[in-house]
Amino acid sequence: SAVISQKPSRDICQRGTSLTIQCQVDSQVTMMFWYRQQPGQSLTLIATANQGSEATYESGFVIDKFPISRPNLTFSTLTVSNMSPEDSSIYLCSVEDGQRTYNEQFFGPGTRLTVL
Amino acid sequence: GENVEQHPSTLSVQEGDSAVIKCTYSDSASNYFPWYKQELGKGPQLIIDIRSNVGEKKDQRIAVTLNKTAKHFSLHITETQPEDSAVYFCAATSYDKVIFGPGTSLSVIP
């Protein structure tokens, strides 16, 4: 399976500021995803990021708040904009293994964000 | 859309005993059911999965069963060890969307 890294691993930010999270994969992948995991909760899909096209956002998430870049097949960024304490969560990127028939997803280690 | 329920929310077992986590899903079109293990401070790790054309799959101490008619699937861990302590998430995939259950926090007591 793909090896996925995220930067930063954690951060503490002031409200009103923005943070950009990076996701790097050790192999080329078509599908990359960004999830949010609020404290003690399950995973919620924010958006799907495909190279060469605009990200597709899930209901409740908008591009102005969570802009995403996908410049190539091994890298993506998620920005959390104009942060508030409610944005305190773990943000996870995942990739889909395109070699397989079904949608196996593999996750990065996550970015733990605290907004004061 | 798909909805995945998971029970129990917390589970505590003695080391060496078995643990069972059950999930139900709502969309009959779902055809792939992965299970993830998330240890504290880490991302979810895919531990086993099952396709809709299979009723059971086993990998060492871990097994998963699927009942498509009843729309439920279960994770079975035998001979539990302290390192099995983690949060486990089931998921169902329908039309390229992966929907996760709310999670089960498993504690294995030495």
Side-chain angles (χ1 to χ4, degrees), chain A residues 46-66:
Chain A
I46 296 172
T48 302
N50 295 328
Q51 193 265 339
S53 63
E54 293 286 331
T56 303
Y57 289 83
E58 297 300 306
S59 176
F61 298 97
V62 295
I63 188 171
D64 290 347
K65 176 67 176 178
F66 298 101

Side-chain angles (χ1 to χ4, degrees), chain A residues 31 33 35 37 40-45 48 58 90 92 96 100-110 112, chain B residues 31-32 34 36 38-46 49 51-53 89 93 95-98 100-103:
Chain A
M31 305 285 282
F33 307 87
Y35 286 83
Q37 186 177 27
Q41 302 295 312
S42 188
L43 291 78
T44 301
L45 181 64
T48 302
E58 297 300 306
I90 299 172
L92 296 148
E96 191 172 278
R100 308 187 189 207
T101 305
Y102 289 84
N103 310 68
E104 285 103 332
Q105 287 192 22
F106 300 94
F107 285 85
R112 283 145 188 83
Chain B
N31 58 4
Y32 171 62
Y36 289 86
Q38 187 175 27
E39 297 177 82
L40 196 62
K42 297 184 178 181
Q45 176 192 4
L46 180 66
D49 55 21
R51 285 49 162 151
S52 59
N53 59 347
F89 294 99
T93 300
Y95 301 110
D96 293 333
K97 286 283 180 69
V98 180
F100 289 85

Side-chain angles (χ1 to χ4, degrees), chain A residues 30-101:
Chain A
T30 303
M31 305 285 282
M32 293 182 78
F33 307 87
W34 286 99
Y35 286 83
R36 182 175 73 184
Q37 186 177 27
Q38 295 178 300
Q41 302 295 312
S42 188
L43 291 78
T44 301
L45 181 64
I46 296 172
T48 302
N50 295 328
Q51 193 265 339
S53 63
E54 293 286 331
T56 303
Y57 289 83
E58 297 300 306
S59 176
F61 298 97
V62 295
I63 188 171
D64 290 347
K65 176 67 176 178
F66 298 101
I68 289 171
S69 78
R70 181 81 199 273
N72 57 53
L73 292 175
T74 64
F75 187 78
S76 179
T77 67
L78 170 76
T79 298
V80 186
S81 304
N82 188 25
M83 288 183 286
S84 66
E86 293 71 37
D87 294 320
S88 298
S89 289
I90 299 172
Y91 292 86
L92 296 148
C93 74
S94 75
V95 304
E96 191 172 278
D97 188 336
Q99 303 299 318
R100 308 187 189 207
T101 305

Side-chain angles (χ1 to χ4, degrees), chain B residues 17-39:
Chain B
D17 288 349
S18 296
V20 180
I21 303 170
K22 299 182 179 181
C23 289
T24 61
Y25 62 98
S26 60
D27 189 349
S28 57
S30 291
N31 58 4
Y32 171 62
F33 307 90
W35 285 87
Y36 289 86
K37 174 185 181 182
Q38 187 175 27
E39 297 177 82

